[in-house]
Amino acid sequence: MPLTDLSLDACRDYRPPLPAPADFDAFWSRTLDEARTHASGEPVFAEVRTGLTQVRTYDVTIPGFAGQPVRGWLRMPAGAAEPLGCVVEFLGYGRGRGLAHENLLWASAGHAHLLMDTRGQGWSAAGGATADPDGGAPGVVPGFLTRGVESPETSYYRRLFTDAVRCVDAVREHPGIDPDRIVVTGISQGGGITLAVAGLVPGLAGVMPDVPFLCHIRRGAEIAGRPPYTEIAEYLKLHRDRAEQVFTTLAYFDAALHATRATAPALFSIAMMDDICPPSTCFTAYNGYAGPKDVRVYPFNGHEGGAEYQQREQLGWVASLFAGLSSGQAGRS
């Protein structure tokens, strides 16, 4: 496909104004405090039989937003010395956690791996197992970007980002995991969640967002030709008088704003022919990211990004990162 956005040189210099709501930090502090205070019960890690001999798999249930159960899989290499470094992964739009024997990359590399299910999603991959009890008012158009968009309090992504933070909380308390060696990662929607967690959770060891969604959301809605950003345009075609209200709400969930609060080392990937998450939106997050950072750019790829090539980069990056950290060395502020 052809280039449809800014050139790479222009993207590297792209730093649009992206003002945060006045109560942005207070909103998130209150949201997370409430989730932690009102959590009902402890995380559950129930080992399951998969037929695999080199990986132990656990069916996970974690109290997320409002204490609501969030499912996932925790995979750990069999026989590995503990505590282990852990990669926490968030999923792309529409995906569920899949089946118990899938997604073995990180455990095969010797790390713990928590894969978080995505509330209310899971229609594009088998195994979605987490409901969204607070679906909010009808979004008028299909999808999640406009679900609860009347207010940041009711937005779908308030619940989802909180779930993700609570999953990091849970692995930090797991006796087999080193709380100072936690890396968060995800592709597309998962990349946006990754950046939100990076801005909301101090003391992470590393951050790996791939072709991240939810960055500079207004620009995405204006220039992306394919879903999910087109959901916003479809909504505003129907509700012509709500544009400022919609973008005011979505600002609380803009991953590029959360990136300006992040301090952990980050390895991004961005694809220049991506017509789902346009590269200028991804570079908005990368250029504003407040911690140490690097990026791999794939000039001729679309939303598939670097795929297995980026996985190779990540495997080496995480191994080097964890090798330089011992328990207690990374520290949490």
Side-chain angles (χ1 to χ4, degrees), residues 240-255:
R240 297 167 176 81
D241 58 341
R242 297 186 187 177
E244 291 312 309
Q245 174 191 358
V246 164
F247 289 116
T248 295
T249 292
L250 292 175
Y252 290 84
F253 313 101
D254 198 311

Side-chain angles (χ1 to χ4, degrees), residues 126-169:
T130 302
D132 182 22
D134 298 325
V140 180
V141 297
F144 294 86
L145 274 171
T146 61
R147 183 169 295 184
V149 78
E150 299 79 16
S151 162
E153 300 286 337
T154 57
S155 170
Y156 169 82
Y157 280 98
R158 181 185 185 219
R159 302 189 291 280
L160 185 57
F161 286 4
T162 302
D163 292 345
V165 170
R166 294 291 293 140
C167 283
V168 174
D169 290 346

Side-chain angles (χ1 to χ4, degrees), residues 91-93 186-193 209-214 228 276-277 303:
L91 291 166
Y93 201 78
I187 300 171
S188 191
Q189 175 183 255
I193 300 169
D210 293 324
V211 291
F213 181 48
L214 300 168
I276 292 176
C277 295
H303 195 55

Side-chain angles (χ1 to χ4, degrees), residues 5 17 42 44 73 79 138 155 158 160 186 269 296 309 311 316 325:
D5 197 0
E42 298 294 323
V44 175
W73 299 117
S155 170
R158 181 185 185 219
L160 185 57
S269 73
R296 303 292 182 267
Y309 284 76
Q311 287 181 332
L325 296 171

Side-chain angles (χ1 to χ4, degrees), residues 170-187:
V171 295
R172 278 183 161 168
E173 299 299 323
H174 190 287
I177 293 172
D178 181 351
D180 293 313
R181 291 189 293 160
I182 306 294
V183 168
V184 291
T185 192
I187 300 171

Side-chain angles (χ1 to χ4, degrees), residues 2-45:
L3 292 171
T4 59
D5 197 0
L6 304 179
S7 69
L8 178 56
D9 286 343
C11 280
R12 290 191 184 276
D13 292 332
Y14 188 62
R15 290 175 172 81
L18 204 66
D23 65 340
F24 182 88
D25 296 308
F27 170 84
W28 279 109
S29 179
R30 174 174 55 82
T31 294
L32 298 180
D33 284 348
E34 288 175 358
R36 288 167 175 146
T37 300
H38 296 110
S40 54
E42 298 294 323
V44 175
F45 300 89

